Amino acid sequence: MKKHVGIVCVQGAFIEHKHALDALGCTCIAIRNRSDITSDIDALVLPGGESTAQSRLLHDLQLFDTLKEHIEQGMPTLATCAGLILLAKTIDGTGDLQGLNESAANKRLAVEGFQTLNVCVQRNAYGRQLSSFHTQLYCARAGRELPATFIRAPRITSCGAHVEVLMQYNESAVAVQQDNQIACTFHPELDSDLFFHKTLISL
């Protein structure tokens, strides 16, 4: 059965997710307004980008409550980088406050997310754009190493109940799953291995 996947397209890197899902034979639906969230949608993607901007836009466009309700009711959801921050139960600082004045720092901290994923996360924990990197990490569920591209990536600092760690980097979880939610600190959509997108549409 062909899956219809809604990709939240208010800000950030969403086109690569579309390419990955197109390759798997999915029908992709761009979510930019509340009317785009229809009963046809089988799964959601929350892409990378800038979590503060995404949070603000989701509220401004009146998307936030509807998306949160769908996630809480069990809709399969794949979140990458900033998308993971939006799912996280707790944001433990931001990892990028140095050099900011108090007003700017408070804006960075004011990310109101869905708080549906039982993890604590720190934003931009690996540094800024120039600190981005690519590596291969073992995933037991996949039974092989998977490529992982980190771009201004957050760090999962702790995992709570019902969270399964799928991949680790330097002893920190970088891919997790809790029931219907899959979240990566890196960008699987930038690499050719479609394991996480396949997992999404299998839920």
Side-chain angles (χ1 to χ4, degrees), residues 53-125:
Q54 290 185 2
S55 171
R56 176 177 54 80
L57 287 166
L58 289 175
H59 283 88
D60 289 349
L61 296 168
Q62 299 183 323
L63 284 164
F64 184 89
D65 290 340
T66 304
L67 289 172
K68 180 178 173 69
E69 181 180 357
H70 277 72
I71 295 167
E72 288 180 331
Q73 290 181 351
M75 179 167 284
T77 301
L78 172 62
T80 58
C81 201
L84 179 148
I85 296 170
L86 291 178
L87 289 185
K89 184 79 73 177
T90 307
I91 300 173
D92 181 14
T94 67
D96 61 346
L97 296 182
Q98 285 190 343
L100 296 179
N101 62 39
E102 184 177 355
S103 175
N106 287 336
K107 287 180 180 178
R108 294 278 180 93
L109 288 167
V111 178
E112 183 181 352
F114 302 114
Q115 298 183 333
T116 54
L117 183 67
N118 196 13
V119 300
C120 182
V121 67
Q122 182 184 44
R123 279 179 31 164
N124 293 349

Side-chain angles (χ1 to χ4, degrees), residues 19-179:
H19 293 159
L21 291 162
D22 284 344
L24 295 175
C26 298
T27 296
C28 295
I29 300 165
I31 298 176
R32 296 187 173 92
N33 299 287
R34 192 165 57 177
S35 60
D36 296 325
I37 306 174
T38 68
S39 59
D40 294 335
I41 293 176
D42 301 304
L44 287 172
V45 171
L46 303 176
E50 209 292 307
S51 56
T52 305
Q54 290 185 2
S55 171
R56 176 177 54 80
L57 287 166
L58 289 175
H59 283 88
D60 289 349
L61 296 168
Q62 299 183 323
L63 284 164
F64 184 89
D65 290 340
T66 304
L67 289 172
K68 180 178 173 69
E69 181 180 357
H70 277 72
I71 295 167
E72 288 180 331
Q73 290 181 351
M75 179 167 284
T77 301
L78 172 62
T80 58
C81 201
L84 179 148
I85 296 170
L86 291 178
L87 289 185
K89 184 79 73 177
T90 307
I91 300 173
D92 181 14
T94 67
D96 61 346
L97 296 182
Q98 285 190 343
L100 296 179
N101 62 39
E102 184 177 355
S103 175
N106 287 336
K107 287 180 180 178
R108 294 278 180 93
L109 288 167
V111 178
E112 183 181 352
F114 302 114
Q115 298 183 333
T116 54
L117 183 67
N118 196 13
V119 300
C120 182
V121 67
Q122 182 184 44
R123 279 179 31 164
N124 293 349
Y126 297 98
R128 296 186 178 275
Q129 194 82 14
L130 291 176
S131 301
S132 301
F133 62 97
H134 178 84
T135 188
Q136 298 275 333
L137 300 172
Y138 184 73
C139 175
R141 188 184 295 179
R144 63 182 186 276
E145 287 193 339
L146 300 176
T149 299
F150 293 79
I151 302 173
R152 298 183 66 201
R155 176 184 286 118
I156 297 172
T157 57
S158 65
C159 297
H162 310 298
V163 175
E164 178 186 358
V165 176
L166 303 179
M167 291 168 61
Q168 290 184 301
Y169 174 74
N170 288 347
E171 300 184 353
S172 293
V174 295
V176 298
Q177 181 172 351
Q178 178 186 320
D179 301 321

